[in-house]
């Protein structure tokens, strides 16, 4: 696949917000081709040969880091994992020091996860590498939104006109923010559903409808996207108890019953079974596409690395 | 159940504005009809109501009961006796009991105990925070399903602004609201009377009246950002009422009630260290009392509640600062409110509205009106009959009335719950 324009004009993937629908569509098309390639068992190890990809994770992650690692290796990059404990790095100054170190290593592609919103953007100003945001604080997680969109598109054939309900702790969710930006850009109808204590201020300004009742929010939905509820939300007083959360905001058969009969259920993982989602639904092959999300994750990250590497070649 | 026909009563229904002499027929616990042409169905029991007023049973928004945990002060059964004698047929009870009503099973317990009285609809509030400690939110969804009608920490102010913000926000998910005891705890701590000349002369630690206005101002600001509904209980100062009036004009979900002591008494009632007049919030100077009366007239205040707080002799027979705050209020709610009617401040229908339809509407209850098909919760009132409030002679267990010795005009002649006579 070749493109006559730069899909990620900034040379980084820091956020979904600001991407144009054609660019998103092109990324998804490319990811779809990688999904097919991965299933065929073939590889394309020459694409990133000689390139260095560093996974710089300031926050613990298993699946996202592994997914990027696999994506990089399938395209032939040299992949290095750097886990930096948050306790030793908690000052902006140190983040800049890290950038200086990475420049000295001649890193080409830098995948960053950080607990602070905006940290990858700050790094992108200081490093010569292309930066991919793998989740920053409560800001964005752009590759998650891409893999969610690809999963939906494969199941439903389109994004436009679909009703997607994003449920749970929207307030603290970078996954929700990236999905809201992507899905609204692609003309899906997005609802956010959760207790008012877990819905961010002025959420409607992002182009979504807000619901505090699950059945009202799920009525007629094509896609039900559950978010992870961190245990800290209970101790922090935003939710009184996990039993109350599950009763009113957890996804069970009864609540899912008001969505469209062919509605799919998604979750970015890791799941809290019995808190935000009933195991019977999480494991229901008719409804749950959680496994497919993981598969599409690798494909989407290959697409992003591919696109950014093209720009590297162009600049070289 | 046989029919009951009230004959020749002055029918008073604040919700519809009805004030006319007529008959009212009750069948199967419901109001079947009222008017002048009902006739008398066979077998109907007639109640001669000539010269008396028949109104909806009172809906009391706020009462503390000693049960569970302080049954020596008041039980649900003894409170039900006092309520029936006071014309109250719906009683909302506070959750800051021991244990606090912060678990669905405890809410169901209170409901069952209320049903067992047979004379009262007892509606429990759920705790706004676990153990009413003001820290972690209680389970509003589960509590509401169990029967909690709204959420409050009772006599305890929710002092932490973040907790109050979350409470207002979270209650919205369940279409409910938060009732605040509007008193900034750090300013009220240790106080026994309203700060001012009288407290100074009596040598009592004072609570600045601003403690109320500060909390009201804060919570109005929180209601604005959360779009939640805050209800202020027993509002007692001019400054707080001005803030509430402005918030209502702005269109915020802000409501409030007051209690009879705050429009009938002023701080001079605590003279000679009368501990029965030690209340929370404390009685105020006369200017504040007048402001409460004005706010009753102009609609700023949405309801009059008894704010019943039972105390026994041991709680009150102490030096003033050490005595417990709180006054019994069930038996005097109607009489003291009628004093404002006799005094010319309120019309009879307007006064009854604050005791019946308005609090019922606030809680979304189908009571508090003389409508066809509504529950036959009724009170028969002798407007002219005088009586004196006397310690030891009040119905129920609690005798700690701040109105002890007060002569009142207007007394309950009979109370009916779902068509059944429960008093008189």
């Amino acid at each position: 696949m070749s493109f006559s324009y730069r899909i990620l004009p900034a040379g980084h993937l820091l956020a979904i917000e600001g991407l144009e629908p054609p660019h998103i569509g092109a990324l998804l098309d490319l990811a779809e081709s990688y999904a097919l390639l991965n299933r065929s068992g073939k590889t394309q190890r020459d694409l990133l040969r000689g390139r260095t990809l560093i996974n710089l994770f300031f926050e613990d992650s298993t699946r996202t880091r592994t997914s990027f690692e696999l994506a990089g290796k399938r395209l032939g990059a040299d992949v290095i994992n750097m886990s930096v404990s948050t306790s030793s790095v908690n000052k902006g100054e140190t983040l800049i020091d890290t950038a200086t170190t990475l420049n000295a290593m001649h890193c080409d592609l830098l995948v960053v996860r950080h607990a602070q919103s905006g940290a990858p953007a700050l790094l992108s100003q200081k490093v010569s590498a292309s930066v991919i945001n793998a989740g920053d604080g409560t800001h964005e997680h752009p590759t998650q939104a891409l893999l969610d969109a690809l999963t939906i598109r494969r199941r439903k054939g389109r994004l436009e006109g679909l009703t997607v309900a994003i449920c749970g702790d929207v307030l603290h969710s970078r996954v929700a923010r990236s999905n809201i930006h992507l899905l609204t850009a692609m003309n899906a109808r997005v609802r956010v559903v959760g207790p008012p204590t877990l819905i961010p201020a002025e959420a409607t300004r992002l182009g979504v409808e807000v619901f505090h009742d699950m059945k009202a929010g799920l009525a007629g939905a094509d896609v039900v996207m559950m978010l992870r509820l961190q245990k800290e939300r209970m101790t922090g007083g935003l939710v009184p108890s996990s039993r109350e959360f599950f009763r009113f905001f957890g996804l069970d058969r009864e609540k899912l019953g008001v969505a469209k009969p062919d509605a799919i259920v998604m979750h970015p993982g890791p799941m809290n079974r019995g808190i935000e989602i009933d195991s019977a639904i999480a494991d229901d092959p008719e409804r749950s596409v959680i496994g497919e999300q993981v598969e599409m994750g690798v494909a989407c990250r290959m697409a992003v690395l591919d696109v950014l590497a093209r720009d590297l070649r162009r600049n070289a | 159940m046989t029919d009951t026909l009230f004959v020749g009563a002055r029918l008073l229904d604040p919700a519809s504005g009805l004030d006319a002499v007529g008959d009212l027929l009750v069948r199967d616990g419901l109001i079947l009809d009222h008017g002048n042409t009902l006739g008398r169905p066979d077998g109907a029991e007639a109640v001669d109501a000539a010269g008396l007023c028949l109104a909806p049973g009172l809906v009391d928004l706020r009462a503390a009961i000693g049960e569970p945990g302080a049954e020596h002060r008041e039980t649900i059964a003894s409170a039900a006796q006092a309520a029936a004698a006071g014309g109250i047929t719906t009683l909302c009870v506070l959750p800051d009991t021991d244990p606090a009503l912060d678990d669905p099973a405890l809410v169901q317990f209170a409901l069952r105990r209320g049903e067992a009285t047979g004379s009262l609809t007892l509606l429990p509030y759920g705790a706004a925070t676990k153990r009413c400690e003001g820290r972690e939110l209680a389970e509003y969804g589960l509590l509401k399903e169990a029967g909690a009608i709204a959420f409050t920490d009772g006599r305890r102010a929710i002092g932490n602004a973040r907790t109050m913000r979350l409470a207002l926000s979270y209650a919205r998910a369940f279409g409910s609201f938060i009732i605040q005891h509007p008193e900034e705890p750090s300013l009220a701590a240790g106080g026994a009377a309203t700060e001012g000349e009288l407290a100074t002369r009596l040598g009592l630690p004072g609570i600045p009246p601003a403690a109320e206005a500060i909390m009201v101002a804060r919570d109005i600001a929180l209601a604005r950002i959360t779009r939640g509904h805050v209800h202020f209980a027993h509002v007692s100062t001019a400054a707080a009422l001005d803030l509430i009036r402005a918030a209502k004009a702005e269109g915020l979900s802000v409501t409030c009630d007051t209690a009879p002591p705050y429009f009938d008494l002023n701080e001079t009632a605590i003279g000679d260290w009368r501990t029965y007049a030690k209340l929370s919030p404390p009685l105020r100077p006369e200017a504040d009392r007048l402001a409460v009366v004005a706010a009753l007239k102009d609609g700023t205040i949405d309801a009059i509640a008894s704010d019943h707080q039972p105390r026994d002799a041991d709680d009150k027979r102490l030096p003033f600062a050490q005595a417990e705050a709180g006054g019994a209020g069930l038996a005097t709610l109607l009489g003291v409110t009628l004093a404002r009617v006799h005094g010319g401040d309120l019309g009879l229908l307007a006064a009854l509205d604050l005791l019946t339809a308005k609090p019922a509407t606030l809680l979304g209850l189908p009571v508090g009106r003389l409508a066809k098909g509504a529950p036959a919760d009724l009170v028969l009132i002798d407007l002219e009959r005088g009586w004196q409030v006397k310690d030891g002679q009040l119905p129920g267990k609690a005798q700690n009335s701040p109105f002890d010795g007060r002569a009142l005009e207007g007394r309950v002649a009979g109370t009916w719950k779902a068509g059944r006579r429960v008093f008189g």
Side-chain angles (χ1 to χ4, degrees), chain A residues 258-285:
Chain A
V258 303
K260 288 218 178 112
D262 61 348
I264 56 170
V265 173
M266 309 179 78
H267 195 296
M271 280 181 280
N272 287 306
R273 292 164 183 268
I275 296 180
E276 72 258 2
I277 190 163
D278 194 325
S279 275
I281 289 173
D283 301 332
D284 180 352

mmCIF file of all heavy atoms in Angstrom, chain A residues 258-285:
data_model
loop_
_atom_site.group_PDB
_atom_site.id
_atom_site.type_symbol
_atom_site.label_atom_id
_atom_site.label_comp_id
_atom_site.label_asym_id
_atom_site.label_seq_id
_atom_site.Cartn_x
_atom_site.Cartn_y
_atom_site.Cartn_z
ATOM 1 N N VAL A 258 -30.892 -4.662 26.416
ATOM 2 C CA VAL A 258 -31.545 -3.512 25.774
ATOM 3 C C VAL A 258 -30.756 -3.002 24.565
ATOM 4 O O VAL A 258 -31.253 -2.198 23.787
ATOM 5 C CB VAL A 258 -31.798 -2.349 26.763
ATOM 6 C CG1 VAL A 258 -32.638 -2.801 27.947
ATOM 7 C CG2 VAL A 258 -30.490 -1.728 27.235
ATOM 8 N N ALA A 259 -29.502 -3.469 24.420
ATOM 9 C CA ALA A 259 -28.719 -3.094 23.241
ATOM 10 C C ALA A 259 -29.258 -3.869 22.044
ATOM 11 O O ALA A 259 -30.141 -4.721 22.181
ATOM 12 C CB ALA A 259 -27.246 -3.398 23.472
ATOM 13 N N LYS A 260 -28.731 -3.564 20.835
ATOM 14 C CA LYS A 260 -29.172 -4.311 19.655
ATOM 15 C C LYS A 260 -28.862 -5.797 19.844
ATOM 16 O O LYS A 260 -27.889 -6.150 20.514
ATOM 17 C CB LYS A 260 -28.437 -3.787 18.414
ATOM 18 C CG LYS A 260 -28.918 -2.405 17.992
ATOM 19 C CD LYS A 260 -28.964 -2.270 16.481
ATOM 20 C CE LYS A 260 -29.509 -0.896 16.094
ATOM 21 N NZ LYS A 260 -28.484 -0.045 15.459
ATOM 22 N N PRO A 261 -29.675 -6.667 19.262
ATOM 23 C CA PRO A 261 -29.462 -8.112 19.461
ATOM 24 C C PRO A 261 -28.079 -8.574 19.006
ATOM 25 O O PRO A 261 -27.550 -9.537 19.534
ATOM 26 C CB PRO A 261 -30.556 -8.761 18.598
ATOM 27 C CG PRO A 261 -31.560 -7.685 18.348
ATOM 28 C CD PRO A 261 -30.849 -6.372 18.439
ATOM 29 N N ASP A 262 -27.494 -7.850 18.034
ATOM 30 C CA ASP A 262 -26.165 -8.262 17.547
ATOM 31 C C ASP A 262 -25.071 -7.340 18.077
ATOM 32 O O ASP A 262 -23.988 -7.255 17.498
ATOM 33 C CB ASP A 262 -26.156 -8.281 16.012
ATOM 34 C CG ASP A 262 -26.436 -6.909 15.420
ATOM 35 O OD1 ASP A 262 -26.870 -5.996 16.191
ATOM 36 O OD2 ASP A 262 -26.224 -6.709 14.204
ATOM 37 N N ALA A 263 -25.355 -6.636 19.172
ATOM 38 C CA ALA A 263 -24.356 -5.712 19.722
ATOM 39 C C ALA A 263 -23.123 -6.483 20.174
ATOM 40 O O ALA A 263 -23.234 -7.572 20.738
ATOM 41 C CB ALA A 263 -24.942 -4.938 20.901
ATOM 42 N N ILE A 264 -21.952 -5.885 19.928
ATOM 43 C CA ILE A 264 -20.716 -6.516 20.384
ATOM 44 C C ILE A 264 -20.243 -5.842 21.664
ATOM 45 O O ILE A 264 -20.553 -4.686 21.935
ATOM 46 C CB ILE A 264 -19.600 -6.469 19.312
ATOM 47 C CG1 ILE A 264 -19.335 -5.022 18.858
ATOM 48 C CG2 ILE A 264 -19.950 -7.360 18.135
ATOM 49 C CD1 ILE A 264 -18.092 -4.875 17.999
ATOM 50 N N VAL A 265 -19.492 -6.622 22.449
ATOM 51 C CA VAL A 265 -18.988 -6.133 23.732
ATOM 52 C C VAL A 265 -17.467 -6.068 23.674
ATOM 53 O O VAL A 265 -16.812 -7.024 23.246
ATOM 54 C CB VAL A 265 -19.427 -7.073 24.878
ATOM 55 C CG1 VAL A 265 -18.775 -6.664 26.196
ATOM 56 C CG2 VAL A 265 -20.941 -7.083 24.999
ATOM 57 N N MET A 266 -16.949 -4.914 24.086
ATOM 58 C CA MET A 266 -15.498 -4.705 24.035
ATOM 59 C C MET A 266 -14.969 -4.332 25.416
ATOM 60 O O MET A 266 -15.703 -3.825 26.260
ATOM 61 C CB MET A 266 -15.166 -3.581 23.045
ATOM 62 C CG MET A 266 -15.821 -3.769 21.688
ATOM 63 S SD MET A 266 -15.446 -2.437 20.532
ATOM 64 C CE MET A 266 -13.791 -2.906 20.037
ATOM 65 N N HIS A 267 -13.705 -4.568 25.617
ATOM 66 C CA HIS A 267 -13.039 -4.176 26.871
ATOM 67 C C HIS A 267 -11.553 -4.042 26.570
ATOM 68 O O HIS A 267 -10.980 -4.921 25.950
ATOM 69 C CB HIS A 267 -13.275 -5.228 27.968
ATOM 70 C CG HIS A 267 -12.932 -4.750 29.341
ATOM 71 N ND1 HIS A 267 -11.651 -4.411 29.706
ATOM 72 C CD2 HIS A 267 -13.705 -4.526 30.440
ATOM 73 C CE1 HIS A 267 -11.653 -4.004 30.972
ATOM 74 N NE2 HIS A 267 -12.879 -4.055 31.443
ATOM 75 N N PRO A 268 -10.934 -2.945 27.001
ATOM 76 C CA PRO A 268 -9.502 -2.762 26.686
ATOM 77 C C PRO A 268 -8.593 -3.651 27.528
ATOM 78 O O PRO A 268 -7.407 -3.762 27.235
ATOM 79 C CB PRO A 268 -9.264 -1.285 27.000
ATOM 80 C CG PRO A 268 -10.289 -0.931 28.031
ATOM 81 C CD PRO A 268 -11.478 -1.804 27.740
ATOM 82 N N GLY A 269 -9.144 -4.264 28.585
ATOM 83 C CA GLY A 269 -8.348 -5.114 29.455
ATOM 84 C C GLY A 269 -7.398 -4.281 30.293
ATOM 85 O O GLY A 269 -7.122 -3.148 29.947
ATOM 86 N N PRO A 270 -6.900 -4.822 31.378
ATOM 87 C CA PRO A 270 -7.356 -6.076 31.979
ATOM 88 C C PRO A 270 -8.706 -5.899 32.670
ATOM 89 O O PRO A 270 -8.991 -4.841 33.205
ATOM 90 C CB PRO A 270 -6.261 -6.417 32.986
ATOM 91 C CG PRO A 270 -5.474 -5.162 33.215
ATOM 92 C CD PRO A 270 -5.763 -4.223 32.102
ATOM 93 N N MET A 271 -9.513 -6.947 32.620
ATOM 94 C CA MET A 271 -10.886 -6.857 33.128
ATOM 95 C C MET A 271 -10.952 -7.071 34.628
ATOM 96 O O MET A 271 -10.187 -7.853 35.185
ATOM 97 C CB MET A 271 -11.742 -7.955 32.488
ATOM 98 C CG MET A 271 -12.212 -7.650 31.103
ATOM 99 S SD MET A 271 -13.226 -9.014 30.494
ATOM 100 C CE MET A 271 -11.989 -10.192 29.978
ATOM 101 N N ASN A 272 -11.911 -6.405 35.268
ATOM 102 C CA ASN A 272 -12.307 -6.741 36.637
ATOM 103 C C ASN A 272 -13.619 -7.502 36.526
ATOM 104 O O ASN A 272 -14.689 -6.895 36.453
ATOM 105 C CB ASN A 272 -12.569 -5.485 37.469
ATOM 106 C CG ASN A 272 -11.302 -4.750 37.832
ATOM 107 O OD1 ASN A 272 -10.398 -5.334 38.389
ATOM 108 N ND2 ASN A 272 -11.265 -3.470 37.511
ATOM 109 N N ARG A 273 -13.535 -8.796 36.491
ATOM 110 C CA ARG A 273 -14.762 -9.593 36.372
ATOM 111 C C ARG A 273 -15.603 -9.408 37.636
ATOM 112 O O ARG A 273 -15.082 -9.388 38.736
ATOM 113 C CB ARG A 273 -14.412 -11.068 36.182
ATOM 114 C CG ARG A 273 -13.750 -11.354 34.841
ATOM 115 C CD ARG A 273 -13.082 -12.706 34.835
ATOM 116 N NE ARG A 273 -12.388 -12.957 33.573
ATOM 117 C CZ ARG A 273 -12.943 -13.566 32.522
ATOM 118 N NH1 ARG A 273 -14.198 -13.985 32.594
ATOM 119 N NH2 ARG A 273 -12.262 -13.753 31.415
ATOM 120 N N GLY A 274 -16.883 -9.255 37.445
ATOM 121 C CA GLY A 274 -17.763 -9.086 38.594
ATOM 122 C C GLY A 274 -17.792 -7.667 39.125
ATOM 123 O O GLY A 274 -18.453 -7.383 40.115
ATOM 124 N N ILE A 275 -17.049 -6.760 38.494
ATOM 125 C CA ILE A 275 -17.137 -5.350 38.894
ATOM 126 C C ILE A 275 -17.705 -4.539 37.737
ATOM 127 O O ILE A 275 -18.795 -3.999 37.830
ATOM 128 C CB ILE A 275 -15.771 -4.803 39.368
ATOM 129 C CG1 ILE A 275 -15.349 -5.559 40.641
ATOM 130 C CG2 ILE A 275 -15.886 -3.310 39.654
ATOM 131 C CD1 ILE A 275 -14.025 -5.120 41.215
ATOM 132 N N GLU A 276 -16.952 -4.492 36.596
ATOM 133 C CA GLU A 276 -17.544 -3.785 35.461
ATOM 134 C C GLU A 276 -18.167 -4.738 34.441
ATOM 135 O O GLU A 276 -18.919 -4.308 33.578
ATOM 136 C CB GLU A 276 -16.542 -2.840 34.795
ATOM 137 C CG GLU A 276 -15.441 -3.527 33.998
ATOM 138 C CD GLU A 276 -14.124 -3.567 34.761
ATOM 139 O OE1 GLU A 276 -14.106 -3.097 35.906
ATOM 140 O OE2 GLU A 276 -13.134 -4.080 34.211
ATOM 141 N N ILE A 277 -17.833 -6.009 34.535
ATOM 142 C CA ILE A 277 -18.384 -6.939 33.535
ATOM 143 C C ILE A 277 -18.596 -8.329 34.147
ATOM 144 O O ILE A 277 -17.773 -8.807 34.929
ATOM 145 C CB ILE A 277 -17.452 -7.004 32.279
ATOM 146 C CG1 ILE A 277 -18.117 -7.757 31.137
ATOM 147 C CG2 ILE A 277 -16.095 -7.604 32.629
ATOM 148 C CD1 ILE A 277 -17.456 -7.514 29.784
ATOM 149 N N ASP A 278 -19.705 -8.912 33.785
ATOM 150 C CA ASP A 278 -20.040 -10.265 34.205
ATOM 151 C C ASP A 278 -19.222 -11.244 33.359
ATOM 152 O O ASP A 278 -19.157 -11.098 32.137
ATOM 153 C CB ASP A 278 -21.551 -10.473 33.961
ATOM 154 C CG ASP A 278 -22.084 -11.715 34.654
ATOM 155 O OD1 ASP A 278 -21.333 -12.715 34.738
ATOM 156 O OD2 ASP A 278 -23.246 -11.681 35.086
ATOM 157 N N SER A 279 -18.614 -12.225 34.010
ATOM 158 C CA SER A 279 -17.799 -13.199 33.275
ATOM 159 C C SER A 279 -18.579 -13.876 32.158
ATOM 160 O O SER A 279 -18.037 -14.170 31.095
ATOM 161 C CB SER A 279 -17.271 -14.274 34.232
ATOM 162 O OG SER A 279 -16.095 -13.826 34.842
ATOM 163 N N ALA A 280 -19.855 -14.103 32.399
ATOM 164 C CA ALA A 280 -20.668 -14.801 31.404
ATOM 165 C C ALA A 280 -20.688 -14.028 30.084
ATOM 166 O O ALA A 280 -20.801 -14.615 29.011
ATOM 167 C CB ALA A 280 -22.097 -14.978 31.938
ATOM 168 N N ILE A 281 -20.558 -12.708 30.164
ATOM 169 C CA ILE A 281 -20.553 -11.900 28.939
ATOM 170 C C ILE A 281 -19.145 -11.772 28.388
ATOM 171 O O ILE A 281 -18.926 -11.902 27.178
ATOM 172 C CB ILE A 281 -21.171 -10.525 29.220
ATOM 173 C CG1 ILE A 281 -22.669 -10.718 29.423
ATOM 174 C CG2 ILE A 281 -20.886 -9.564 28.078
ATOM 175 C CD1 ILE A 281 -23.372 -9.506 29.863
ATOM 176 N N ALA A 282 -18.182 -11.566 29.279
ATOM 177 C CA ALA A 282 -16.796 -11.426 28.832
ATOM 178 C C ALA A 282 -16.360 -12.662 28.043
ATOM 179 O O ALA A 282 -15.579 -12.563 27.102
ATOM 180 C CB ALA A 282 -15.885 -11.208 30.035
ATOM 181 N N ASP A 283 -16.896 -13.826 28.426
ATOM 182 C CA ASP A 283 -16.473 -15.084 27.801
ATOM 183 C C ASP A 283 -17.462 -15.603 26.758
ATOM 184 O O ASP A 283 -17.324 -16.713 26.267
ATOM 185 C CB ASP A 283 -16.279 -16.159 28.887
ATOM 186 C CG ASP A 283 -15.245 -15.744 29.914
ATOM 187 O OD1 ASP A 283 -14.342 -14.966 29.535
ATOM 188 O OD2 ASP A 283 -15.347 -16.161 31.079
ATOM 189 N N ASP A 284 -18.446 -14.779 26.411
ATOM 190 C CA ASP A 284 -19.466 -15.220 25.453
ATOM 191 C C ASP A 284 -18.974 -14.971 24.028
ATOM 192 O O ASP A 284 -18.849 -13.827 23.594
ATOM 193 C CB ASP A 284 -20.759 -14.423 25.723
ATOM 194 C CG ASP A 284 -21.882 -14.811 24.764
ATOM 195 O OD1 ASP A 284 -21.606 -15.579 23.809
ATOM 196 O OD2 ASP A 284 -22.997 -14.331 24.961
ATOM 197 N N PRO A 285 -18.674 -16.038 23.278
ATOM 198 C CA PRO A 285 -18.113 -15.831 21.934
ATOM 199 C C PRO A 285 -19.085 -15.130 20.977
ATOM 200 O O PRO A 285 -18.662 -14.536 19.988
ATOM 201 C CB PRO A 285 -17.787 -17.252 21.460
ATOM 202 C CG PRO A 285 -18.620 -18.149 22.310
ATOM 203 C CD PRO A 285 -18.843 -17.448 23.606
#
